[in-house]
Amino acid sequence: KQWYQRRVAITAGGIPSFGLGPVGIKQVHEWGDFEVDKSVKYVIVTYDPYYCHTKLTEAYLYIKENKAEFIAPDCDNFFAVSSTRKVPGSLSMQAGLSAVLEEKPRIMGKPDPLFFELIQKEHGEMNLSKTIMIGDNYNTDIKFGFNCGISTALVLTGNTKPEDIASFGGKQPDFVLGGLGDINDDLENTKFLRG
């Protein structure tokens, strides 16, 4: 189960966590006696198939009463589940909390360049002219590349479809690929749809 794997990864990193996976449902009248754990410093909201009013309320109370920081590791509008269907992504879960808090979360994943900075810190400076971000989501993957100052290649096999490209306005990806299978080891011989 994806939620369980995330919880194991967070806990293995030395960060105690809770809230991933199924929870008991609370009725509105039960929140009056809810004790807010004062040790909670961060509320991370991402995709959770068990997201519900109980989790929304608990997150709200930790942020309002504890001054916990509201963090989002991604801001995906949709997840492509097939070539013809998308389902709401993590942004749909963050939106409810953002609405009641009247604030947006701190984005700690794409398109924020923080992870790129951490990779460079760990592995040394990269030659940005030889670095490319390849992804299927313009709003996260491609904007991440823009924010990091690297080339971008949009793959049309996931969240973005060919007809979506015209709606981007502004900055366009450097390259557009039909699929990951179009990439060759030698990028000079790669079959780009555009670029």
Side-chain angles (χ1 to χ4, degrees):
K1 299 201 180 221
Q2 191 177 19
W3 64 266
Y4 180 75
Q5 291 168 341
R6 286 184 182 158
R7 183 179 212 157
V8 168
I10 291 169
T11 305
I15 303 168
S17 67
F18 61 91
L20 292 169
V23 295
I25 302 299
K26 287 188 181 0
Q27 299 301 319
V28 172
H29 67 274
E30 295 179 81
W31 289 104
D33 296 334
F34 179 75
E35 284 193 41
V36 175
D37 180 344
K38 297 296 181 193
S39 70
V40 174
K41 306 252 185 287
Y42 305 97
V43 172
I44 302 170
V45 181
T46 188
Y47 172 74
D48 180 352
Y50 298 99
Y51 192 71
C52 60
H53 185 267
T54 297
K55 289 185 177 190
L56 171 73
T57 303
E58 192 169 348
Y60 172 81
L61 292 173
Y62 284 124
I63 294 167
K64 279 308 227 189
E65 296 182 15
N66 266 15
K67 306 294 185 231
E69 187 173 2
F70 179 18
I71 296 174
D74 65 90
C75 55
D76 290 314
N77 294 11
F78 297 100
F79 298 129
V81 294
S82 74
S83 62
T84 59
R85 180 171 288 163
K86 295 178 185 178
V87 297
S90 302
L91 186 62
S92 65
M93 295 166 196
Q94 297 151 5
L97 190 54
S98 289
V100 295
L101 291 169
E102 298 180 342
E103 70 178 72
K104 292 184 183 266
R106 177 176 177 201
I107 305 297
M108 299 282 293
K110 299 175 293 183
D112 187 274
L114 174 66
F115 286 119
F116 191 70
E117 293 162 10
L118 294 173
I119 291 168
Q120 289 190 88
K121 187 176 178 181
E122 179 84 16
H123 298 285
E125 290 293 317
M126 295 180 199
N127 181 342
L128 299 184
S129 68
K130 293 186 177 206
T131 306
I132 189 167
M133 175 63 192
I134 301 170
D136 70 343
N137 187 318
Y138 181 85
N139 288 320
T140 56
D141 303 326
I142 302 307
K143 285 184 178 178
F144 176 75
F146 296 160
N147 292 341
C148 296
I150 58 177
S151 296
T152 57
L154 179 65
V155 182
L156 300 176
T157 54
N159 283 313
T160 306
K161 302 295 175 222
E163 58 272 15
D164 298 333
I165 295 173
S167 69
F168 297 154
K171 197 165 182 180
Q172 296 286 311
D174 298 301
F175 305 100
V176 177
L177 299 162
L180 287 174
D182 294 344
I183 300 174
N184 293 321
D185 290 337
D186 177 6
L187 277 177
E188 291 178 15
N189 293 321
T190 294
K191 180 180 136 191
F192 292 109
L193 297 177
R194 195 189 85 220

